[in-house]
Amino acid sequence: MALINENYLKLPGSYLFSEIARRVEAYKTANPEANIIRLGIGDVTKPLPEAVIKSLHNAVDEMADEKTFKGYGPEQGYDFLLKKIIEFDFNPRGVELAIDEIFVSDGSKSDTANFQEIFGLNNKIAITDPVYPVYVDSNVMAGRSGTLGADGKWTDMVYIPCTAENGFVPQIPTEKVDLIYLCFPNNPTGTTISKTELKKWVDYAKVNQAIILYDAAYEAYIQEDDVPHSIYEIAGAKEVAIEFRSFSKNAGFTGTRCSYVVVPKEVMGYTESGEPIEINKLWNRRHCTKFNGVPYIIQKGAEAVYTTAGQQQIKALVEYYMANAKMIREGVASKGIEVFGGINAPYIWLKTPTGMDSWTFFDKLLTEVNIVGTPGVGFGPNGEGYFRLTAFGSKENTEEAIRRFTTEFKI
Ligand code: MLT
Protein backbone atom coordinates (compact mmCIF):
# COMPACT_ATOMS: atom_id res chain seq x y z
CA MET A 1 0.00 0.00 0.00
CA ALA A 2 1.46 3.33 -1.02
CA LEU A 3 1.18 5.64 1.96
CA ILE A 4 0.97 9.34 1.31
CA ASN A 5 2.54 12.21 3.19
CA GLU A 6 -0.54 13.07 5.23
CA ASN A 7 0.74 16.55 5.95
CA TYR A 8 -0.55 17.45 2.48
CA LEU A 9 -4.07 16.71 3.68
CA LYS A 10 -3.79 19.48 6.25
CA LEU A 11 -3.34 22.13 3.58
CA PRO A 12 -6.19 24.30 2.33
CA GLY A 13 -7.62 22.91 -0.94
CA SER A 14 -5.59 25.12 -3.25
CA TYR A 15 -2.68 27.52 -3.27
CA LEU A 16 -3.81 31.16 -2.85
CA PHE A 17 -3.09 32.34 -6.39
CA SER A 18 -4.59 29.21 -7.94
CA GLU A 19 -7.78 29.86 -5.96
CA ILE A 20 -7.92 33.45 -7.19
CA ALA A 21 -7.36 32.31 -10.79
CA ARG A 22 -10.17 29.77 -10.38
CA ARG A 23 -12.62 32.39 -9.10
CA VAL A 24 -11.68 34.84 -11.85
CA GLU A 25 -12.12 32.17 -14.54
CA ALA A 26 -15.55 31.27 -13.15
CA TYR A 27 -16.56 34.92 -13.25
CA LYS A 28 -15.24 35.30 -16.80
CA THR A 29 -17.15 32.25 -17.98
CA ALA A 30 -20.35 33.67 -16.54
CA ASN A 31 -19.57 37.17 -17.85
CA PRO A 32 -17.63 36.72 -21.10
CA GLU A 33 -17.94 40.41 -22.01
CA ALA A 34 -16.23 41.61 -18.79
CA ASN A 35 -12.99 43.50 -19.38
CA ILE A 36 -11.06 42.19 -16.38
CA ILE A 37 -7.96 44.00 -15.15
CA ARG A 38 -5.63 41.79 -13.16
CA LEU A 39 -3.81 43.46 -10.30
CA GLY A 40 -3.71 40.26 -8.27
CA ILE A 41 -0.68 38.02 -8.64
CA GLY A 42 2.64 39.85 -8.74
CA ASP A 43 3.42 38.92 -12.32
CA VAL A 44 5.22 41.41 -14.53
CA THR A 45 3.74 42.58 -17.84
CA LYS A 46 6.58 44.40 -19.64
CA PRO A 47 8.80 42.35 -21.97
CA LEU A 48 12.33 41.34 -21.05
CA PRO A 49 14.94 44.11 -21.38
CA GLU A 50 16.53 44.41 -24.83
CA ALA A 51 20.00 43.55 -23.49
CA VAL A 52 18.61 40.30 -22.07
CA ILE A 53 16.84 39.41 -25.32
CA LYS A 54 20.04 39.96 -27.32
CA SER A 55 22.02 37.78 -24.97
CA LEU A 56 19.36 35.04 -25.05
CA HIS A 57 19.49 35.02 -28.87
CA ASN A 58 23.28 34.76 -28.88
CA ALA A 59 23.13 31.91 -26.39
CA VAL A 60 20.62 30.05 -28.56
CA ASP A 61 23.05 30.34 -31.47
CA GLU A 62 25.84 28.98 -29.29
CA MET A 63 23.71 25.93 -28.59
CA ALA A 64 23.39 25.35 -32.34
CA ASP A 65 27.15 25.01 -32.83
CA GLU A 66 29.11 21.96 -31.71
CA LYS A 67 32.05 24.15 -30.67
CA THR A 68 30.00 26.23 -28.24
CA PHE A 69 27.19 23.83 -27.36
CA LYS A 70 26.64 23.25 -23.62
CA GLY A 71 25.22 20.20 -21.93
CA TYR A 72 25.00 19.89 -18.15
CA GLY A 73 26.47 22.93 -16.47
CA PRO A 74 27.65 23.38 -12.90
CA GLU A 75 24.58 22.86 -10.67
CA GLN A 76 25.39 26.02 -8.72
CA GLY A 77 25.54 28.24 -11.81
CA TYR A 78 28.19 29.34 -14.29
CA ASP A 79 31.08 31.43 -12.98
CA PHE A 80 30.31 34.21 -15.45
CA LEU A 81 26.98 34.85 -13.67
CA LEU A 82 28.17 34.17 -10.12
CA LYS A 83 30.97 36.73 -10.50
CA LYS A 84 28.59 39.40 -11.81
CA ILE A 85 26.13 38.79 -8.97
CA ILE A 86 28.83 39.36 -6.36
CA GLU A 87 30.34 42.33 -8.18
CA PHE A 88 27.06 44.18 -8.81
CA ASP A 89 24.62 43.11 -6.11
CA PHE A 90 26.90 42.84 -3.09
CA ASN A 91 30.34 44.47 -3.40
CA PRO A 92 28.93 48.00 -3.86
CA ARG A 93 27.10 47.53 -0.52
CA GLY A 94 30.30 46.53 1.26
CA VAL A 95 29.49 42.81 1.22
CA GLU A 96 32.20 40.31 0.21
CA LEU A 97 31.09 36.85 -0.87
CA ALA A 98 32.86 33.86 -2.40
CA ILE A 99 31.64 32.29 -5.60
CA ASP A 100 30.70 29.06 -3.81
CA GLU A 101 28.38 30.94 -1.50
CA ILE A 102 25.93 31.65 -4.36
CA PHE A 103 23.54 29.05 -5.81
CA VAL A 104 21.77 29.99 -9.03
CA SER A 105 18.33 28.49 -9.28
CA ASP A 106 14.97 28.65 -11.03
CA GLY A 107 13.04 31.01 -8.77
CA SER A 108 12.65 32.31 -5.25
CA LYS A 109 9.35 30.49 -4.90
CA SER A 110 11.09 27.13 -5.21
CA ASP A 111 14.16 28.30 -3.28
CA THR A 112 12.20 29.55 -0.28
CA ALA A 113 10.00 26.46 -0.40
CA ASN A 114 12.89 24.01 -0.71
CA PHE A 115 15.33 25.49 1.77
CA GLN A 116 13.48 24.14 4.82
CA GLU A 117 14.31 20.58 3.68
CA ILE A 118 17.80 20.69 5.14
CA PHE A 119 16.51 21.48 8.62
CA GLY A 120 15.17 19.09 11.25
CA LEU A 121 11.47 18.76 11.88
CA ASN A 122 11.75 19.95 15.46
CA ASN A 123 12.68 23.50 14.58
CA LYS A 124 10.29 26.21 15.69
CA ILE A 125 9.34 28.29 12.68
CA ALA A 126 8.56 32.01 12.95
CA ILE A 127 6.71 33.80 10.20
CA THR A 128 5.50 37.34 9.90
CA ASP A 129 1.74 37.61 9.51
CA PRO A 130 0.63 38.37 6.79
CA VAL A 131 3.21 36.42 4.82
CA TYR A 132 4.01 34.98 1.39
CA PRO A 133 2.11 31.66 1.69
CA VAL A 134 4.92 29.52 0.28
CA TYR A 135 6.94 29.72 3.52
CA VAL A 136 4.01 28.38 5.50
CA ASP A 137 2.73 25.76 3.07
CA SER A 138 6.17 24.24 2.50
CA ASN A 139 6.63 23.81 6.26
CA VAL A 140 3.16 22.30 6.57
CA MET A 141 4.09 19.78 3.85
CA ALA A 142 7.26 18.92 5.74
CA GLY A 143 5.40 18.38 9.02
CA ARG A 144 6.45 21.38 11.11
CA SER A 145 3.07 23.08 11.42
CA GLY A 146 0.89 21.18 13.91
CA THR A 147 -2.78 21.64 13.11
CA LEU A 148 -4.72 24.55 11.71
CA GLY A 149 -6.70 26.31 14.42
CA ALA A 150 -10.04 28.07 14.06
CA ASP A 151 -8.09 31.34 14.28
CA GLY A 152 -6.38 30.48 10.97
CA LYS A 153 -3.04 29.80 12.69
CA TRP A 154 -0.99 26.62 12.66
CA THR A 155 -0.53 25.48 16.23
CA ASP A 156 3.23 24.84 16.01
CA MET A 157 4.20 28.02 14.20
CA VAL A 158 4.99 31.36 15.76
CA TYR A 159 3.15 34.27 14.16
CA ILE A 160 4.63 37.75 14.24
CA PRO A 161 1.89 40.24 13.47
CA CYS A 162 2.68 43.04 11.02
CA THR A 163 -0.26 45.38 10.92
CA ALA A 164 -1.01 49.08 10.71
CA GLU A 165 -1.09 49.14 14.53
CA ASN A 166 2.61 48.27 14.82
CA GLY A 167 3.66 50.09 11.65
CA PHE A 168 4.27 46.70 9.95
CA VAL A 169 7.47 46.29 11.95
CA PRO A 170 7.95 42.68 13.11
CA GLN A 171 8.69 42.45 16.82
CA ILE A 172 11.05 39.84 18.28
CA PRO A 173 8.90 36.98 19.65
CA THR A 174 8.82 36.26 23.36
CA GLU A 175 9.21 32.50 22.81
CA LYS A 176 12.37 30.98 21.36
CA VAL A 177 12.32 30.28 17.62
CA ASP A 178 14.88 28.56 15.38
CA LEU A 179 14.06 29.49 11.78
CA ILE A 180 12.76 32.95 10.95
CA TYR A 181 11.31 33.94 7.60
CA LEU A 182 11.62 37.64 6.80
CA CYS A 183 10.78 39.30 3.49
CA PHE A 184 11.76 42.92 2.78
CA PRO A 185 10.58 44.89 0.90
CA ASN A 186 7.62 42.96 2.10
CA ASN A 187 5.26 40.83 0.14
CA PRO A 188 2.33 41.40 0.67
CA THR A 189 2.34 44.69 2.63
CA GLY A 190 4.82 46.55 0.44
CA THR A 191 6.48 47.95 3.58
CA THR A 192 10.17 47.86 4.50
CA ILE A 193 12.42 47.47 7.51
CA SER A 194 15.08 49.88 8.76
CA LYS A 195 18.64 48.76 9.39
CA THR A 196 18.12 49.32 13.12
CA GLU A 197 15.11 47.00 13.23
CA LEU A 198 16.76 44.36 11.08
CA LYS A 199 19.82 44.43 13.34
CA LYS A 200 17.57 43.35 16.25
CA TRP A 201 16.72 40.17 14.31
CA VAL A 202 20.33 39.47 13.44
CA ASP A 203 21.30 39.89 17.09
CA TYR A 204 18.42 37.63 18.17
CA ALA A 205 19.50 34.94 15.71
CA LYS A 206 23.09 35.10 16.95
CA VAL A 207 22.14 34.77 20.59
CA ASN A 208 19.66 31.95 19.93
CA GLN A 209 21.64 30.04 17.27
CA ALA A 210 18.69 30.67 14.96
CA ILE A 211 18.79 31.22 11.19
CA ILE A 212 17.04 33.99 9.25
CA LEU A 213 15.69 33.08 5.82
CA TYR A 214 15.65 36.50 4.18
CA ASP A 215 13.64 36.96 1.00
CA ALA A 216 14.88 40.05 -0.84
CA ALA A 217 13.14 39.39 -4.15
CA TYR A 218 11.86 42.99 -4.29
CA GLU A 219 15.06 44.83 -3.31
CA ALA A 220 15.30 46.61 -6.70
CA TYR A 221 12.21 48.61 -5.75
CA ILE A 222 13.80 50.31 -2.75
CA GLN A 223 13.84 54.08 -3.27
CA GLU A 224 14.58 55.41 0.21
CA ASP A 225 17.82 55.53 2.19
CA ASP A 226 18.32 53.49 5.37
CA VAL A 227 16.43 50.59 3.83
CA PRO A 228 18.81 47.63 3.57
CA HIS A 229 18.99 46.03 0.11
CA SER A 230 20.68 42.97 1.55
CA ILE A 231 20.60 41.56 5.06
CA TYR A 232 24.39 41.29 4.85
CA GLU A 233 24.57 45.08 5.18
CA ILE A 234 23.88 44.36 8.86
CA ALA A 235 26.96 43.49 10.93
CA GLY A 236 27.00 39.81 11.87
CA ALA A 237 24.32 38.75 9.37
CA LYS A 238 26.73 36.54 7.44
CA GLU A 239 26.80 34.23 10.45
CA VAL A 240 23.05 33.77 10.66
CA ALA A 241 21.27 34.63 7.42
CA ILE A 242 20.46 33.04 4.09
CA GLU A 243 19.32 35.48 1.39
CA PHE A 244 17.03 34.81 -1.57
CA ARG A 245 17.22 36.99 -4.68
CA SER A 246 15.38 36.83 -7.98
CA PHE A 247 15.58 38.14 -11.53
CA SER A 248 11.76 37.90 -11.76
CA LYS A 249 10.72 41.26 -10.48
CA ASN A 250 13.67 43.49 -11.41
CA ALA A 251 14.26 42.09 -14.91
CA GLY A 252 10.96 40.46 -15.84
CA PHE A 253 12.05 36.81 -15.50
CA THR A 254 8.76 35.51 -14.05
CA GLY A 255 8.31 33.32 -17.12
CA THR A 256 12.01 32.89 -17.86
CA ARG A 257 12.97 31.66 -14.36
CA CYS A 258 16.24 32.60 -12.72
CA SER A 259 17.10 33.37 -9.12
CA TYR A 260 19.82 32.74 -6.61
CA VAL A 261 20.37 31.92 -2.95
CA VAL A 262 23.25 33.25 -0.88
CA VAL A 263 24.50 30.78 1.72
CA PRO A 264 27.55 32.18 3.55
CA LYS A 265 29.91 29.54 4.89
CA GLU A 266 29.76 31.06 8.37
CA VAL A 267 26.08 30.08 8.79
CA MET A 268 25.83 27.05 11.06
CA GLY A 269 23.09 24.62 11.89
CA TYR A 270 23.47 22.10 14.70
CA THR A 271 23.11 18.38 15.26
CA GLU A 272 21.05 17.14 18.22
CA SER A 273 24.32 16.84 20.12
CA GLY A 274 25.21 20.47 19.39
CA GLU A 275 27.86 19.92 16.74
CA PRO A 276 27.94 22.86 14.31
CA ILE A 277 27.44 22.00 10.63
CA GLU A 278 27.97 24.35 7.68
CA ILE A 279 24.58 25.06 6.10
CA ASN A 280 26.40 25.83 2.85
CA LYS A 281 27.63 22.24 2.61
CA LEU A 282 24.17 20.80 3.25
CA TRP A 283 22.53 23.09 0.72
CA ASN A 284 25.19 22.27 -1.85
CA ARG A 285 24.58 18.57 -1.28
CA ARG A 286 20.84 18.99 -1.66
CA HIS A 287 21.15 21.30 -4.68
CA CYS A 288 23.51 18.98 -6.58
CA THR A 289 21.32 15.96 -5.88
CA LYS A 290 18.01 17.48 -6.83
CA PHE A 291 18.85 20.15 -9.41
CA ASN A 292 20.85 20.17 -12.62
CA GLY A 293 21.32 23.89 -12.94
CA VAL A 294 19.50 26.73 -14.67
CA PRO A 295 19.80 26.41 -18.48
CA TYR A 296 22.91 28.06 -19.97
CA ILE A 297 20.71 30.18 -22.23
CA ILE A 298 18.79 31.61 -19.29
CA GLN A 299 21.96 32.29 -17.29
CA LYS A 300 23.36 34.20 -20.29
CA GLY A 301 20.13 36.23 -20.29
CA ALA A 302 20.58 36.95 -16.58
CA GLU A 303 24.23 37.91 -17.10
CA ALA A 304 23.08 40.67 -19.49
CA VAL A 305 21.19 42.31 -16.62
CA TYR A 306 24.63 43.38 -15.37
CA THR A 307 25.78 45.11 -18.56
CA THR A 308 25.56 48.91 -18.72
CA ALA A 309 22.58 48.68 -21.06
CA GLY A 310 20.97 45.98 -18.89
CA GLN A 311 21.35 48.08 -15.75
CA GLN A 312 19.73 51.10 -17.44
CA GLN A 313 16.92 48.97 -18.81
CA ILE A 314 16.04 47.32 -15.50
CA LYS A 315 16.09 50.73 -13.83
CA ALA A 316 13.56 51.91 -16.41
CA LEU A 317 11.36 48.87 -15.70
CA VAL A 318 11.39 49.56 -11.98
CA GLU A 319 10.54 53.22 -12.62
CA TYR A 320 7.67 52.19 -14.88
CA TYR A 321 6.11 49.94 -12.24
CA MET A 322 6.75 52.41 -9.45
CA ALA A 323 4.85 55.08 -11.41
CA ASN A 324 1.93 52.62 -11.39
CA ALA A 325 2.39 52.14 -7.64
CA LYS A 326 2.14 55.90 -7.11
CA MET A 327 -0.98 56.06 -9.26
CA ILE A 328 -2.61 53.25 -7.27
CA ARG A 329 -1.65 54.70 -3.90
CA GLU A 330 -3.02 58.12 -4.77
CA GLY A 331 -6.18 56.76 -6.39
CA VAL A 332 -7.01 54.53 -3.45
CA ALA A 333 -6.23 57.25 -0.90
CA SER A 334 -8.46 59.70 -2.79
CA LYS A 335 -11.42 57.49 -1.82
CA GLY A 336 -10.55 57.97 1.84
CA ILE A 337 -9.14 54.44 2.11
CA GLU A 338 -6.05 53.87 4.25
CA VAL A 339 -3.16 52.75 2.10
CA PHE A 340 0.33 51.35 2.85
CA GLY A 341 3.34 50.20 0.86
CA GLY A 342 3.98 51.16 -2.75
CA ILE A 343 6.89 53.48 -1.85
CA ASN A 344 9.76 50.98 -1.83
CA ALA A 345 7.82 48.04 -3.26
CA PRO A 346 5.49 47.19 -6.13
CA TYR A 347 2.68 46.19 -3.74
CA ILE A 348 -0.02 48.43 -2.31
CA TRP A 349 -1.71 47.21 0.83
CA LEU A 350 -5.01 48.84 1.67
CA LYS A 351 -7.38 48.65 4.58
CA THR A 352 -10.72 47.40 3.32
CA PRO A 353 -13.39 50.07 3.82
CA THR A 354 -16.25 49.77 6.31
CA GLY A 355 -14.63 46.80 8.03
CA MET A 356 -15.43 44.54 5.06
CA ASP A 357 -13.69 41.17 5.09
CA SER A 358 -11.09 40.75 2.41
CA TRP A 359 -12.82 38.05 0.29
CA THR A 360 -16.03 40.15 0.25
CA PHE A 361 -13.96 43.09 -0.96
CA PHE A 362 -12.37 40.82 -3.59
CA ASP A 363 -15.80 39.78 -4.91
CA LYS A 364 -17.14 43.32 -4.85
CA LEU A 365 -14.17 44.69 -6.75
CA LEU A 366 -14.36 41.89 -9.31
CA THR A 367 -18.08 42.05 -9.92
CA GLU A 368 -18.59 45.83 -9.74
CA VAL A 369 -15.55 47.11 -11.63
CA ASN A 370 -13.88 43.95 -12.95
CA ILE A 371 -10.62 44.45 -11.07
CA VAL A 372 -8.74 41.52 -9.57
CA GLY A 373 -6.67 41.98 -6.43
CA THR A 374 -5.55 39.66 -3.62
CA PRO A 375 -7.50 39.31 -0.37
CA GLY A 376 -5.27 40.01 2.59
CA VAL A 377 -6.48 37.04 4.60
CA GLY A 378 -4.97 34.76 1.94
CA PHE A 379 -1.61 35.81 3.40
CA GLY A 380 -2.52 34.97 6.99
CA PRO A 381 -5.00 35.84 9.73
CA ASN A 382 -3.53 39.29 10.28
CA GLY A 383 -4.16 40.05 6.61
CA GLU A 384 -7.90 39.98 7.25
CA GLY A 385 -9.38 43.41 6.65
CA TYR A 386 -6.66 44.24 4.13
CA PHE A 387 -6.30 43.87 0.38
CA ARG A 388 -3.29 43.83 -1.96
CA LEU A 389 -2.97 45.48 -5.37
CA THR A 390 0.08 45.06 -7.56
CA ALA A 391 1.83 47.72 -9.61
CA PHE A 392 2.98 45.15 -12.19
CA GLY A 393 0.14 45.81 -14.65
CA SER A 394 0.58 47.93 -17.76
CA LYS A 395 0.33 51.70 -17.33
CA GLU A 396 -2.84 51.76 -19.44
CA ASN A 397 -4.57 49.03 -17.44
CA THR A 398 -3.52 50.58 -14.15
CA GLU A 399 -4.90 53.95 -15.25
CA GLU A 400 -8.15 52.35 -16.32
CA ALA A 401 -8.39 50.37 -13.06
CA ILE A 402 -7.88 53.51 -11.00
CA ARG A 403 -10.41 55.42 -13.12
CA ARG A 404 -12.99 52.69 -12.47
CA PHE A 405 -12.04 52.48 -8.81
CA THR A 406 -12.30 56.19 -8.18
CA THR A 407 -15.39 56.94 -10.30
CA GLU A 408 -17.47 53.76 -10.43
CA PHE A 409 -16.68 51.73 -7.32
CA LYS A 410 -19.11 52.32 -4.45
CA ILE A 411 -17.94 51.94 -0.86
C1 MLT B 1 2.82 37.28 -5.51
O1 MLT B 1 1.87 37.70 -6.15
O2 MLT B 1 2.84 37.28 -4.27
C2 MLT B 1 3.98 36.78 -6.26
O3 MLT B 1 3.68 36.64 -7.59
C3 MLT B 1 4.44 35.55 -5.71
C4 MLT B 1 5.55 34.95 -6.47
O4 MLT B 1 6.41 35.66 -6.99
O5 MLT B 1 5.55 33.74 -6.51
Side-chain angles (χ1 to χ4, degrees):
M1 184 167 63
L3 299 175
I4 60 154
N5 174 353
E6 292 193 25
N7 294 313
Y8 277 67
L9 302 181
K10 296 179 181 175
L11 288 165
S14 56
Y15 178 60
L16 173 63
F17 293 105
S18 318
E19 174 60 18
I20 290 171
R22 192 191 63 71
R23 289 190 187 214
V24 174
E25 270 324 296
Y27 180 77
K28 202 158 170 53
T29 308
N31 302 274
E33 75 300 338
N35 173 14
I36 295 176
I37 299 179
R38 293 166 198 268
L39 302 181
I41 192 163
D43 194 5
V44 296
T45 49
K46 299 300 281 177
L48 291 169
E50 208 184 310
V52 171
I53 292 291
K54 251 197 215 157
S55 188
L56 289 171
H57 279 297
N58 288 341
V60 169
D61 289 340
E62 285 185 72
M63 295 300 261
D65 183 338
E66 210 170 319
K67 291 193 284 300
T68 47
F69 168 79
K70 302 275 187 303
Y72 293 129
E75 292 94 340
Q76 301 85 346
Y78 285 97
D79 278 9
F80 63 76
L81 181 56
L82 299 171
K83 283 183 184 153
K84 288 278 160 50
I85 287 170
I86 295 171
E87 185 190 333
F88 280 78
D89 292 346
F90 294 98
N91 289 351
R93 303 199 178 279
V95 180
E96 299 295 326
L97 290 167
I99 245 176
D100 55 359
E101 292 178 309
I102 313 275
F103 297 82
V104 173
S105 179
D106 70 340
S108 289
K109 182 184 191 176
S110 26
D111 288 336
T112 54
N114 291 333
F115 212 86
Q116 49 76 29
E117 268 186 49
I118 60 170
F119 296 105
L121 291 183
N122 290 333
N123 285 295
K124 197 64 155 173
I125 309 290
I127 49 146
T128 54
D129 174 21
V131 73
Y132 180 41
V134 169
Y135 316 151
V136 177
D137 287 6
S138 55
N139 277 290
V140 175
M141 290 169 177
R144 287 189 200 91
S145 64
T147 53
L148 188 58
D151 58 358
K153 295 183 180 173
W154 296 94
T155 48
D156 290 355
M157 290 197 185
V158 173
Y159 287 72
I160 300 159
C162 291
T163 59
E165 287 69 39
N166 63 17
F168 302 96
V169 179
Q171 300 302 309
I172 303 286
T174 45
E175 64 192 289
K176 193 172 169 322
V177 296
D178 308 301
L179 296 175
I180 302 151
Y181 287 85
L182 294 179
C183 171
F184 289 105
N186 187 254
N187 179 14
T189 66
T191 56
T192 49
I193 195 165
S194 66
K195 288 184 183 164
T196 313
E197 288 299 324
L198 190 53
K199 171 108 178 35
K200 291 182 189 168
W201 284 97
V202 169
D203 292 345
Y204 174 89
K206 283 173 77 170
V207 170
N208 291 283
Q209 296 179 313
I211 291 179
I212 300 172
L213 301 167
Y214 193 77
D215 186 349
Y218 299 93
E219 71 78 32
Y221 289 83
I222 295 171
Q223 315 286 316
E224 295 179 323
D225 297 336
D226 193 44
V227 180
H229 287 247
S230 164
I231 193 167
Y232 305 119
E233 290 174 48
I234 310 298
K238 271 174 82 178
E239 292 159 48
V240 290
I242 309 299
E243 184 163 302
F244 302 90
R245 290 281 190 106
S246 171
F247 293 96
S248 284
K249 316 288 166 151
N250 64 344
F253 274 59
T254 53
T256 311
R257 313 306 305 150
C258 196
S259 65
Y260 64 88
V261 188
V262 184
V263 191
K265 291 190 197 123
E266 293 96 313
V267 183
M268 295 293 160
Y270 298 86
T271 62
E272 288 282 348
S273 60
E275 186 196 344
I277 304 286
E278 268 184 38
I279 291 297
N280 180 291
K281 284 202 175 120
L282 294 190
W283 184 246
N284 188 46
R285 185 69 176 82
R286 189 257 173 223
H287 193 75
C288 295
T289 304
K290 296 197 174 186
F291 192 62
N292 252 337
V294 170
Y296 173 75
I297 296 169
I298 304 298
Q299 291 193 56
K300 286 305 274 187
E303 184 194 21
V305 165
Y306 298 107
T307 59
T308 307
Q311 291 285 290
Q312 281 163 1
Q313 289 158 14
I314 64 165
K315 188 165 172 279
L317 279 178
V318 168
E319 281 167 7
Y320 177 94
Y321 293 129
M322 287 311 282
N324 287 347
K326 184 167 184 287
M327 203 182 340
I328 298 172
R329 268 185 70 90
E330 291 173 356
V332 171
S334 75
K335 297 271 275 190
I337 294 175
E338 248 188 303
V339 62
F340 309 94
I343 306 266
N344 294 297
Y347 293 127
I348 292 87
W349 188 242
L350 58 97
K351 194 121 186 68
T352 53
T354 65
M356 203 181 300
D357 74 73
S358 53
W359 276 111
T360 304
F361 189 78
F362 171 89
D363 287 333
K364 192 168 150 61
L365 202 60
L366 176 62
T367 54
E368 282 181 24
V369 285
N370 298 159
I371 299 169
V372 180
T374 309
V377 73
F379 297 102
N382 271 303
E384 185 53 286
Y386 291 90
F387 198 78
R388 194 191 77 176
L389 293 170
T390 146
F392 285 127
S394 68
K395 175 172 183 272
E396 296 72 24
N397 276 348
T398 307
E399 271 167 359
E400 171 58 12
I402 291 306
R403 187 198 64 73
R404 288 184 204 169
F405 189 81
T406 49
T407 62
E408 295 170 12
F409 188 60
K410 299 196 182 37
I411 52 173

